Amino acid sequence: MNALVLPVVLPLLTAFLLQPAGRLSAALARWAGPAVLLVCAGLLVQIALLTGGEPVTAAIGGFAPPVGIVFYADALALLMAIAVPVSALLLWPRAEAGEAGVRQSALMLLLVGSGTGMALSGDLFNLYVFYELLTVASFGLASATGTGRAYVATVRYVLVSGFGSLIALAGIALLYAQTGSLNLAQLADLAPERLANPLGLAAFACLLIGFGVKAELFPVNNWVPDLYACAGKPISALLAGVVSKLAVLVLLRLTVLVFDSPEAREMLMVLGLAGLVTGELAAWRARDLPRLLAYSSIGQLGLLFVALSLPGPAGLAAALAVALHHLLVKPALFMLAERWHGSLDKLAGAGRASPLAAGLFTLFALSLVGVPPLPGFWAKLLVLLELARGAGPFDLTALALVLAVTVVEAHYLFRLVGILYSPGEFRDRHSPRALAVAGLGGAVLVAAMLTLPAVSDALAGLASQAADTAAYRTLTLGGGL
Amino acid sequence: MTPLDTLYLASAATLAAMLVLGDWRRAGVLATLMYGVQLALLFTMQRTGSTSFDLSALGFELSWRFDALSWFFAVVTLGTAFFASWYGAGEWLRAYTGRRRLFQSALAANVFAMLLLLGSGDLLTLFVGWEATSWAGFLLMALAGGLARDAALRYLVYAMAGAMALLGALVVLFQAGGSFSYEAARATLAAMAPGPLWALIILFGLGFGAKLALLPLHLWQAAAYSETPAPGSVFLGGVVGRMGLFALALVLVGLIGIPHLQALAVPFTFLTAQDVVAWVAALTVVLPTYTALKQNDARYLLAWHGIGQGGYMLLGLIVGSALGSAGGLLHVINYAATQATLLMVVFGVRHRVGHTDLNRLGGLVARMPLSFLALLLGIISLAGLPPMSGFVSKWMVYSSLIQDGRPFLFLAAIVGTLGTILSVYKLIHNLFLGQLRAEHEQLNEAPLSMLIPMLATATLAFVTGVAPGLVLGWVADAQAAIGLPVIDYTLGGIASPRASLDMLWVVGVMFAGFGVGALLFYGAGGKTHRVHQLDNYAGGHFLDAGMRYHYSDNFYAGLMHLIGGWYRGSFHWLEGAIGSGLSLVAQGAGGWYRAINPAFYLLAASVALIAWVAL
Amino acid sequence: MDMTFAPDPLALLVIGALGLIVVGAAGLAFGRHLFRLVLALGLAEAGANLLLVIAGYRWDAVAPILTGSAPAAMVDPVPQALVLTAIVIGVGVQALAVALLVRVKLAYGTLDLAELKALVERDIRAAAGIGEPDSAQAPATLPGPAGLIGERP
Amino acid sequence: MNVASLLVELVLMPLVAFVVGLAMVLMMRRIAARLQRRVGPPFFQPLFDIVKLYGKHTQTSHGLVHDLGIVMAVGGYIAAETMLPVPGMTGIADKGGLVVLAYVMMVPSLGLALGVGQCANPNGSIGISRALTAMLAYDVPFIIVIFGVAFHFGSSNLITIAAAQQAAGIAGWGVSQMPLLALAGLFALHGMLGKQPFEIYVAPAEIATGPMVEMSGKHMGGLFVMQCFQLYTAAVLYVTLFLGGGENWLSFLAKSFAVLAVPVSLAYLFPRYRTEDLVRLMWKWPTMIGLLGLAFLMH
């Protein structure tokens, strides 16, 4: 199944060819990117249809694993891989004339290629490389607005993620020293005997911190608020929405396959809780919408890590539910923040100026808070049920914190809803594209609510497949199709 | 299709109709009719139970059904909605400047959500209904904007805190019993160790208590209810808080059971869980009632009383005897009629005058005599004096406390009633008695569309006072539904050797007494000469209309001189302290993200740690 | 570890690599000048790369070059390949960082982190139309429940 | 009991109460006079007062509520009398009981308060404010007493309470069984009557400040009638609760008059209490005594 490689290679290739192509024809440079993304998305969908959700692998260059690099595509990986080009298409930067536009398109393609690679790759070092590539692309995109504060925010982002990468590299080194392999499947084989020691845990901590930078994991998330406040909103949406989920996917694979120990889970939960509490509380005090959303995103991802720390397929299902919900809601909210960027108090009257946007915001807010029967509620319920199943003092503390923080979340979100609907002077309206993206998010949300039984079945399938380490190992090490 | 399905369909249809037709001039009339239809459907339904649809989501079964307890609360809900909607259907709606469609839809959504809550057939459905009710309530409270929005937001904080406590309790219960069904929960709770059971009781108490506005979760209610547009306020004040009582009855009494509560001791004391709940209820009776005494806005005064009256209901219910629990439940329906009447009158005054400031009104009795009559009946009922229905339910609560041998709770209950008498007199005096302001001299009686419902609910409160047996049957069925001892009742009240009450005779004799009194007054002696309302002297001086001599502000100056110092605002202080504490932590959290490079400090520490582990 | 000091070269190298990372991290934590931070990052990266090389190194082996003769014990080639990649990535990121520093210097005229922080904060606030942050001494304006209305006086 | 005899009782009981109440008023005034070295009014003076007030030429009414207040005040007490068992007659005492009676007794106060409020005289309103405050004061010990008695006899039915005492003789009387509660009850009863030294809220001596400020003619007459009932009700209630109720009319009346006469004679020696002082007093001594009595009773 070497078609699996195309969605990674095509965008990368196009990215490098775009600069020369731009010299030839402006239209070509402008439309090549979206076209390639469409093709990639189509390819991935076709693969998904062909395999029917069954996992497949592809060994790159014909080298069989564990020596060669391997791609592993189960339903979850494919879903994430599809999400990357689709999100990028929806959030494609507004066309700028000339060099800058071409550069941005190239960076977007780079981001998509490496992102898809991250979703599919089954080799840790390969993941690391894609991760770095994606990071570099996101640096360029984040600073694309060209304002001084965007540069400063990006520098901060560069420093944090640079440091994160080297910690991850150190973790990889530790891992390699212990096992002599970086293939996830082989690591999974070796983990019980070689990694069930403090050194293994240290390696996990390093990897957690390294990949946690993108996943907005506490404590390496303090680049988030400034960057989201300064970067263009589509870029923020992309980073908060799909890119953070890719990093989460890596961590998910690592916890499920390699570091399936209580200590590792505990570490994940503590960091997740710290992010949840600090993020939501900071959002409570935020005074402008982009930063409010940034903080709230940190909080949501904290919840995601708490969910990720829960053992078993049920815990995995909870984590996936939270992740997919966030993937859907956060970009839509960031698109709404595109025009609602000022002080919160100045948004009074926005509800009258653009009723659709305000209605969508309210819908997303309700779902984020977790009001039944919206999907956000069911996601939260799954997490809470799994926490209650653990029933240790640690789990119950986490349970209490998650619940308490929800109250704070409801307060700041609905304080804002109240402001939106109160009479005021705010007259800015949204661009049709922002509204369309947000509307699409809302429509999917409502559709998921209406087809809840089907969605929940699909979710359970995804989770059980992702939790099935035996299948991963046999399939990957047993050679490709 | 079961009768309950039909009812839900009718309720959903009302909501849909209001969403579509809410801006229509006659939308209020339509809504009233549709609530009437729902009420009629409810009455055609079997009281002891009906089932409705089931759903399945994520492997959880959600089911809806009615039992006698649901039916009882549904009657109160729909009845209040019917009268509140009628009240707002005519002239009030024409004068309403807000968004009509939104308002009508919010009211319909509230009713629908509450019916869903009442019909919940398992704990998960209960939570779904609970959240739906909370958010529908938030919508209704917030839609007026301004002050109402702030009050609603405050409500939201309390409601969400309550809902989250509830959710926590539910997931813990689910993991202990493996199911959300009532039967499983009952079995799990019966077998549970005291520690976890206490935790669950506290969580449930917080969850449901927030809506019932039990102390110390009561601060939100007065403002939130008062600032809502008139029919909404009537509806909220009359019935919404009672959903908390419904849920408490369902869980504390129905699932855990009074005997279990009695057996559950507070460690290191001689108190039991039942005592704790009863004392929370008793404090909820006393403290808010005396806060009401200090209010200067008629709506706030009534809303604060609403909090206190909720305490009576819980107090009666938790006593657990046939008499007490019947009294508590009966008070739900009596109080709904009473509070609806009172709020309708007060909002009627607001409709005519434009405000409800107790210091800027007075002497309206001659201008709005029928409103006065309705208010009079209402305050007699609220204060719990015969012959109104409020007396009957309170009498049952008092008697059960005597029989149970609980002197301090009894004292608290009666001190609450005395405070109510004081403050309702202030209400009627400052509104309707005393000096008529010159600017109100040409005031008209409230419009007919508002008068009829207020007189109707007042009549209901009177009739159920004279013949409580008319509704005690519902109460008895509701008692049976949650496993309480069932009250033995007659048409006139209670016949028992320990405490009997026959309101037919009591009221009959009272009215005979009034008749004789009237005969004595009007039939004998010289002819009275009626002076004009503004023809007044005091201390030998003629008081002209330009002089403000209405004794209204700080009405109980003497009492306040004595107890004024006891109003310390401790609950406000507590709320503020929690808010500030959280704010401080939040500032710290925000500081973490705003600081220059704190992540590196932490990371440097973690690298050192990893290095140490590795070596 | 036993307490007698027998200089195990591998342990020394590991300590050295970790030491580089720690020194770099300390630089990142305490530095105030952006360029110094970038340098510290480079230092720490060198440490991480060294760690990776050590992970596959064997003292008694030859370089992993296939010469056709019978393969002697070879050094594990994979880490070395990885390190090459990592170094390339590191250089790229550092170049990008320095390029960004130039832009920052052009925009704000300084590379001092504290000053930049204040300038950026002011900038964001100005763009959003928000006033100065609340003083901790003024809880009345806080957006929490503390600032909400009470019952009417 | 058949309906006819019940109806006769319902008519007779208020009538008897009125006549006895007139005599009680007379007695109180005579006692006051004797203590002040005066002769005191003649036997029929209370009746003459009422007739005079009714017959006055100038009858000023401030409106319907003003009149209805008086009607409620009188009517409420008429109803209350039928719930108080007297020798040979029980009326509807078995259909109400102690708690009902206590609340029916508040209806006249409410009527009076409404009537005064309608007069639009600020001094009248101040009087009501004081009266209600006083009610809050004396009702606290009063309800402690009610609770104690009802708990002790296991019923709030006055007939049962009286019968239980009569069956057990003097040793079984409330006053022997619960002396502390009886003492507290006496305090509360006296506060309820609004006589010296607790008469500030009635303010009979200062026409211009108090509930009576706008009352004249028939209104005043009605209140006079109410006062007769009030004295009777309070005395008989106390007798029923603590002094064995009425075995026969002779002992019943003797006990009732004594209940009023003894404390009134003592109370005249004290100066008048201000409202706040009244509250303070009532919440301190009688309440503490009552609670102590309850503690003894329940353990």
Side-chain angles (χ1 to χ4, degrees), chain D:
Chain D
M1 191 195 299
N2 63 37
V3 178
S5 67
L6 179 59
L7 284 178
V8 171
E9 281 186 8
L10 292 183
V11 175
L12 273 181
M13 286 168 88
L15 270 179
V16 170
F18 179 58
V19 174
V20 175
L22 278 176
M24 283 173 168
V25 171
L26 179 72
M27 179 192 72
M28 304 275 278
R29 290 166 75 172
R30 283 260 174 99
I31 290 174
R34 288 294 145 80
L35 288 174
Q36 295 161 356
R37 310 276 168 103
R38 289 187 280 115
V39 180
F43 187 76
F44 283 109
Q45 189 60 43
L47 192 60
F48 290 160
D49 284 348
I50 295 173
V51 172
K52 179 194 73 182
L53 286 167
Y54 264 82
K56 275 207 167 185
H57 182 66
T58 316
Q59 302 270 8
T60 309
S61 163
H62 281 274
L64 191 61
V65 178
H66 190 195
D67 302 350
L68 284 181
I70 305 303
V71 169
M72 272 174 81
V74 175
Y77 268 115
I78 292 177
E81 306 316 343
T82 62
M83 297 174 198
L84 268 176
V86 293
M89 291 192 280
T90 56
I92 58 164
D94 58 335
K95 298 186 170 61
L98 192 48
V99 180
V100 179
L101 182 65
Y103 277 87
V104 171
M105 280 164 66
M106 287 182 188
V107 172
S109 314
L110 180 66
L112 179 61
L114 290 174
V116 173
Q118 163 77 335
C119 299
N121 189 314
N123 292 326
S125 300
I126 291 174
I128 293 301
S129 151
R130 289 177 181 172
L132 290 175
T133 306
M135 181 191 80
L136 183 61
Y138 59 69
D139 262 351
V140 172
F142 182 55
I143 53 182
I144 293 176
V145 168
I146 287 185
F147 180 90
V149 172
F151 184 76
H152 177 68
F153 293 107
S155 168
S156 60
N157 188 332
L158 286 169
I159 304 172
T160 318
I161 291 172
Q165 296 181 63
Q166 286 159 14
I170 291 189
W173 281 10
V175 71
S176 331
Q177 295 279 325
M178 350 175 228
L180 288 175
L181 282 176
L183 186 60
L186 212 53
F187 264 98
L189 172 87
H190 203 71
M192 202 179 295
L193 290 178
K195 295 293 172 196
Q196 281 87 346
F198 306 132
E199 85 280 31
I200 189 161
Y201 61 85
V202 187
E206 300 93 328
I207 302 279
T209 57
M212 306 306 167
V213 60
E214 293 290 333
M215 298 293 177
S216 64
K218 281 201 293 195
H219 296 88
M220 198 65 198
L223 292 181
F224 214 100
V225 174
M226 175 185 126
Q227 194 200 1
C228 299
F229 282 129
Q230 193 186 15
L231 288 174
Y232 170 86
T233 312
V236 171
L237 180 61
Y238 194 81
V239 168
T240 313
L241 293 184
F242 290 109
L243 300 176
E247 299 98 339
N248 57 60
W249 276 103
L250 191 65
S251 67
F252 174 68
L253 287 180
K255 282 187 276 190
S256 305
F257 278 92
V259 164
L260 287 182
V262 174
V264 163
S265 317
L266 294 176
Y268 265 109
L269 302 175
F270 289 91
R272 174 198 275 179
Y273 278 80
R274 292 188 306 157
T275 316
E276 290 107 291
D277 293 334
L278 167 64
V279 179
R280 224 172 263 142
L281 176 80
M282 282 292 173
W283 283 357
K284 200 183 279 173
W285 296 111
T287 305
M288 271 164 56
I289 294 170
L291 289 178
L292 206 60
L294 267 189
F296 277 120
L297 189 67
M298 298 186 72
H299 282 286

Side-chain angles (χ1 to χ4, degrees), chain A residues 125 151 176 226 343 346 415, chain C residues 49 76 82 103 117 128-129 143:
Chain A
F125 197 80
Y151 288 129
Y176 192 82
D226 278 356
S343 158
K346 294 196 175 143
R415 185 178 59 202
Chain C
N49 290 341
D76 190 345
L82 298 186
R103 295 298 186 110
K117 187 71 213 163

Side-chain angles (χ1 to χ4, degrees), chain C residues 44-144:
Chain C
E45 221 159 59
N49 290 341
L50 188 52
L51 206 59
L52 193 52
V53 172
I54 297 165
Y57 193 74
R58 293 167 64 180
W59 292 103
D60 51 351
V62 298
I65 302 166
L66 290 174
T67 52
S69 61
M74 281 193 304
V75 171
D76 190 345
V78 176
Q80 301 195 347
L82 298 186
V83 163
L84 275 179
T85 320
I87 288 171
V88 171
I89 290 172
V91 168
V93 169
Q94 277 173 37
L96 196 78
V98 172
L100 279 169
L101 291 195
V102 173
R103 295 298 186 110
V104 170
K105 177 82 178 178
L106 285 178
Y108 287 112
T110 176
L111 285 179
D112 184 272
L113 249 184
E115 283 175 34
L116 275 175
K117 187 71 213 163
L119 287 170
V120 169
E121 185 71 26
R122 197 199 58 196
D123 236 27
I124 295 178
R125 280 179 186 286
I130 306 172
E132 283 303 299
D134 290 323
S135 152
Q137 265 79 49
T141 57
L142 292 181

Side-chain angles (χ1 to χ4, degrees), chain A residues 11-317:
Chain A
L12 292 181
L13 212 61
T14 321
F16 294 114
L17 291 178
L18 214 54
Q19 295 279 39
R23 302 265 161 80
L24 293 178
S25 147
L28 180 65
R30 189 164 173 182
W31 295 110
V36 167
L37 291 191
L38 264 179
V39 170
C40 289
L43 265 173
L44 285 164
V45 169
Q46 201 191 6
I47 291 171
L49 289 177
L50 274 176
T51 60
E54 287 305 308
V56 290
T57 59
I60 314 290
F63 290 106
V67 178
I69 292 171
V70 69
F71 272 15
Y72 177 82
D74 59 357
L76 178 61
L78 276 177
L79 187 66
M80 291 308 298
I82 293 171
V84 177
V86 170
S87 307
L89 263 178
L90 289 174
L91 304 169
W92 193 258
R94 206 161 338 119
E96 277 180 56
E99 277 289 292
V102 173
R103 217 177 296 143
Q104 271 199 32
S105 301
L107 285 171
M108 279 299 277
L109 287 169
L110 202 60
L111 188 114
V112 170
S114 51
T116 315
M118 260 178 93
L120 297 174
S121 180
D123 179 280
L124 194 54
F125 197 80
N126 200 9
L127 276 174
Y128 170 77
V129 173
F130 279 132
Y131 182 74
E132 285 298 309
L133 210 53
L134 184 136
T135 308
V136 171
S138 65
F139 294 156
L141 287 168
S143 60
T145 47
T147 57
R149 55 203 159 95
Y151 288 129
V152 174
T154 312
V155 167
R156 221 173 143 191
Y157 178 36
V158 169
L159 288 175
V160 176
S161 61
F163 191 71
S165 314
L166 73 91
I167 294 284
L169 202 60
I172 289 173
L174 280 178
L175 212 54
Y176 192 82
Q178 290 294 302
T179 60
S181 167
L182 289 176
N183 183 297
L184 283 177
Q186 207 174 16
L187 281 175
D189 270 342
L190 296 171
E193 48 176 309
R194 301 269 181 89
L195 290 175
N197 52 26
L199 222 50
L201 201 61
F204 176 68
C206 287
L207 290 170
L208 194 60
I209 286 170
F211 288 102
V213 175
K214 276 281 171 314
E216 302 172 22
L217 178 75
F218 187 88
V220 280
N221 53 6
N222 66 348
W223 56 271
V224 170
D226 278 356
L227 192 81
Y228 289 180
C230 301
K233 291 299 155 288
I235 300 308
S236 304
L238 205 60
L239 289 180
V242 76
V243 171
S244 68
K245 300 306 164 306
L246 290 172
V248 168
L249 181 65
V250 174
L251 291 174
L252 184 148
R253 295 274 192 228
L254 281 175
T255 36
V256 169
L257 293 170
V258 187
F259 299 102
D260 195 8
S261 72
E263 292 83 10
R265 293 183 181 284
E266 241 167 58
M267 196 186 297
L268 205 54
M269 184 183 272
V270 170
L271 293 182
L273 280 179
L276 175 68
V277 172
T278 54
E280 298 289 9
L281 282 178
W284 188 47
R285 284 188 61 94
R287 292 171 68 193
D288 55 326
L289 188 55
R291 273 199 280 192
L292 184 145
L293 292 177
Y295 286 128
S296 131
S297 167
I298 290 174
Q300 292 289 322
L301 283 160
L303 180 66
L304 176 50
F305 284 115
V306 172
L308 202 56
S309 75
L310 297 166
L316 211 54

Side-chain angles (χ1 to χ4, degrees), chain B residues 224-303:
Chain B
Y225 282 11
S226 302
E227 299 294 344
T228 306
S233 187
V234 172
F235 182 71
L236 289 171
V239 70
V240 171
R242 298 325 123 208
M243 292 303 113
L245 191 78
F246 164 76
L248 277 178
L250 193 68
V251 173
L252 283 192
V253 180
L255 296 187
I256 300 179
I258 299 284
H260 200 170
L261 287 179
Q262 279 165 338
L264 189 65
V266 184
F268 312 116
T269 62
F270 50 86
L271 291 173
T272 66
Q274 188 195 21
D275 296 333
V276 173
V277 179
W279 270 107
V280 169
L283 288 177
T284 308
V285 168
V286 176
L287 299 184
T289 300
Y290 282 83
T291 309
L293 193 56
K294 290 208 11 157
Q295 300 301 311
N296 287 327
D297 187 304
R299 298 170 297 162
Y300 280 71
L301 187 144
L302 288 174

